[in-house]
């Protein structure tokens, strides 16, 4: 078990958190110092002021992390393209993944990944929560229609890998989502907890195939799905399932990068679990980072529950050590942009 002096740091780094506002405020500073998170996730509510505003916000957060934590922060965003695009003009208007699949070559998709990665890196965002590797095999799953590359696992695998490679060429990490695949459920996990009833053989030969390719192709992270998969685990949803996150993703597929949860404040979780126990379940299942994207009280409740779970031995010290190794490897890949680097991308004449 970790010594009491390092426990808050070892636990805090297992959280990726969201916050309100576009500026580095005393409230944000206090939240970062309380939690000592491993990363931040940005939403539209944080990025409305354009590249200069985003760069200033991220720089202030990274300056605090460097001086007080001795390490950088993962800074993530959902810039998938199409309907899920947090950054508007002057950022490049990425098409949806379905449009990419319908109209673009692998090389063109790789190029889009590089364009997006270069823009993100210029403002200090070092992780894009893309590609979506869920297969849209259920016509009624409308919320996934534009976000998915479509129903073909081989095409999704190839296009997903192209996006990963494009971002990597610009120094930006990616996160394949939502493992082991949610594209064929009509119920959106943002609202409640869906169930996918395919047999394990179908899941492994179809839904999981693009993730296997992403793992082999260098995805830095994989995001779990808040979905029940009874054939893979009859008791727990994917985010809370050791059978899915540890046995399948880690052992069978050989993934040794970061495992992130989807937001624990989504309806699929918060309607069925308290936030603290949910965070503990996710870490014991094999997640490295739990996302709590909105309310500070829930962020702190998750942090407190994780600290108590480590103290009690419910979360073993060995899992903290393994996750810390993976986090430190990810942090080592972060290159902080030079001051005003964003101008070279967005205002080269200025």
């Amino acid at each position: 078990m970790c010594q009491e002096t390092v426990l808050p740091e070892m636990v805090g780094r297992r959280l990726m958190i969201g916050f309100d506002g576009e500026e580095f405020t005393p409230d944000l500073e206090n939240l970062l110092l309380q939690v000592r998170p491993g990363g931040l996730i940005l939403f539209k509510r944080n990025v409305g002021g354009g590249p200069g505003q985003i760069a200033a916000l991220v720089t202030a957060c990274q300056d605090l992390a460097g001086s007080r934590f001795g390490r950088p922060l993962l800074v993530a965003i959902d810039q998938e393209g199409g309907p899920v695009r947090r950054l508007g003009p002057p950022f490049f208007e990425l098409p949806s993944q379905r449009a990419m699949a319908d109209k673009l070559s692998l090389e063109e998709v790789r190029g889009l990944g590089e364009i997006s990665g270069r823009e993100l890196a210029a403002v200090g965002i070092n992780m894009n929560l893309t590609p979506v590797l869920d297969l849209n095999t259920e016509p009624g799953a409308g919320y996934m229609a534009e976000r998915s590359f479509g129903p073909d696992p081989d095409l999704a695998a190839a296009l997903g890998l192209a996006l990963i490679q494009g971002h990597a060429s610009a120094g930006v990490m990616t996160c394949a989502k939502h493992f082991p695949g949610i594209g064929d459920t009509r119920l959106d996990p943002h609202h409640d907890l869906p169930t996918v009833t395919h047999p394990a053989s179908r899941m492994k030969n179809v839904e999981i195939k693009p993730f296997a390719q992403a793992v082999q192709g260098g995805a830095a992270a994989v995001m779990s799905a808040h979905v029940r998969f009874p054939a893979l685990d009859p008791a727990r949803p994917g985010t809370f399932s050791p059978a899915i996150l540890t046995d399948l993703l880690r052992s069978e597929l050989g993934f040794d990068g970061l495992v992130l949860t989807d937001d624990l404040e989504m309806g699929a979780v918060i309607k069925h679990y308290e936030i603290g126990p949910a965070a503990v379940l996710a870490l014991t299942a094999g997640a490295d980072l739990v996302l709590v994207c909105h309310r500070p009280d829930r962020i702190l409740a998750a942090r407190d529950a994780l600290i108590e779970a480590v103290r009690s031995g419910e979360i073993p010290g060995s899992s903290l050590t393994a996750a810390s190794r993976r986090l430190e490897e990810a942090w080592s890949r972060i290159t902080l942009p030079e001051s005003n680097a964003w101008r070279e991308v967005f205002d080269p004449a200025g």
Side-chain angles (χ1 to χ4, degrees), residues 106-107 109-111 113-114 131 158-172 174 217-219:
L106 291 179
E107 192 56 41
V109 170
R110 191 176 294 110
E114 184 174 359
L159 292 170
L161 188 57
L163 270 184
I164 289 168
Q165 292 169 340
H167 281 83
S169 69
V172 172
T174 47

Side-chain angles (χ1 to χ4, degrees), residues 276-337:
V280 173
L281 283 172
L283 292 203
T284 56
D288 297 305
L289 278 169
V290 295
L291 272 67
V292 187
C293 296
H294 300 283
R295 286 173 36 179
D297 61 320
R298 287 176 173 164
I299 292 169
L300 294 173
R303 189 275 315 264
D304 293 346
L306 293 176
I307 288 175
E308 184 53 39
V310 175
R311 285 179 176 149
S312 70
E314 186 177 0
I315 296 176
S318 59
S319 76
L320 291 181
T321 301
S324 289
R325 174 185 59 79
R326 288 188 285 265
L327 282 162
E328 286 163 6
E329 195 280 330
W331 291 328
S332 74
R333 296 168 65 176
I334 294 172
T335 300
L336 300 180

Side-chain angles (χ1 to χ4, degrees), residues 13-202:
R13 63 173 56 189
R14 305 293 295 276
L15 289 161
M16 177 175 278
I17 65 173
F19 57 93
D20 288 333
E22 298 179 356
E23 297 181 355
F24 187 79
T25 63
D27 284 345
L28 175 55
E29 181 178 8
N30 289 337
L31 182 63
L32 293 176
L33 291 173
Q34 278 185 282
V35 179
R36 305 176 73 87
L40 304 176
I41 179 169
L42 304 180
F43 290 89
K44 284 187 177 181
R45 64 182 186 261
N46 307 121
V47 298
Q53 172 263 314
I54 300 166
L57 173 63
V58 172
T59 297
C61 293
Q62 293 287 23
D63 286 347
L64 181 142
S67 63
R68 300 299 295 271
F69 311 155
R71 56 169 172 82
L73 296 162
L74 292 168
V75 181
I77 198 164
D78 293 289
Q79 188 73 351
E80 299 171 11
V84 181
R85 198 170 57 231
R86 311 299 188 202
L87 300 168
F91 290 87
F92 181 75
E93 188 171 338
L94 285 166
S96 71
Q97 289 194 184
R98 190 53 175 265
M100 293 182 201
D102 290 343
K103 300 176 182 179
L104 302 180
S105 68
L106 291 179
E107 192 56 41
E108 287 171 326
V109 170
R110 191 176 294 110
L112 291 184
E114 184 174 359
I115 290 169
S116 180
R118 188 167 63 247
E119 291 183 341
L120 297 177
V123 298
I125 297 171
N126 49 56
M127 177 175 280
N128 194 0
L129 301 179
T130 194
V132 175
L133 296 182
D134 307 299
L135 301 175
N136 187 217
T137 56
E138 166 54 65
Y143 73 96
M144 193 54 70
E146 290 300 311
R147 296 179 68 191
S148 169
F149 287 122
D152 183 340
D154 294 311
L155 181 61
L159 292 170
L161 188 57
L163 270 184
I164 289 168
Q165 292 169 340
H167 281 83
S169 69
V172 172
M173 291 173 273
T174 47
C175 179
K177 58 190 186 185
H178 308 78
F179 187 81
I182 64 173
D184 49 8
T185 174
R186 296 187 180 203
L187 179 59
D188 186 343
H190 286 87
H191 304 307
D192 211 332
L193 181 60
T195 298
V196 170
T197 58
H198 298 315
S201 58
R202 149 73 189 248

Side-chain angles (χ1 to χ4, degrees), residues 194-334:
T195 298
V196 170
T197 58
H198 298 315
S201 58
R202 149 73 189 248
M203 291 294 300
K204 292 182 180 181
N205 290 325
V206 181
E207 277 74 17
I208 292 171
K209 195 171 186 179
F211 291 96
Q213 291 295 316
V215 165
Q216 294 170 14
V222 170
M223 180 178 285
S224 67
H226 300 331
V227 180
R228 293 189 185 100
F229 302 92
L232 302 177
D233 187 331
R236 291 181 174 180
T239 293
F240 306 138
S241 170
I244 291 173
L245 297 189
T246 297
D247 298 342
L248 178 55
L249 181 57
R250 293 277 188 220
S251 299
E252 190 171 333
L253 298 186
F255 183 60
D256 195 37
L258 291 175
V259 174
L260 282 61
T261 73
D262 211 341
D263 180 15
L264 294 187
E265 292 187 83
M266 289 166 59
V269 173
I270 211 66
K271 288 184 178 180
H272 303 274
Y273 301 84
E274 294 294 327
I275 196 78
V280 173
L281 283 172
L283 292 203
T284 56
D288 297 305
L289 278 169
V290 295
L291 272 67
V292 187
C293 296
H294 300 283
R295 286 173 36 179
D297 61 320
R298 287 176 173 164
I299 292 169
L300 294 173
R303 189 275 315 264
D304 293 346
L306 293 176
I307 288 175
E308 184 53 39
V310 175
R311 285 179 176 149
S312 70
E314 186 177 0
I315 296 176
S318 59
S319 76
L320 291 181
T321 301
S324 289
R325 174 185 59 79
R326 288 188 285 265
L327 282 162
E328 286 163 6
E329 195 280 330
W331 291 328
S332 74
R333 296 168 65 176
I334 294 172

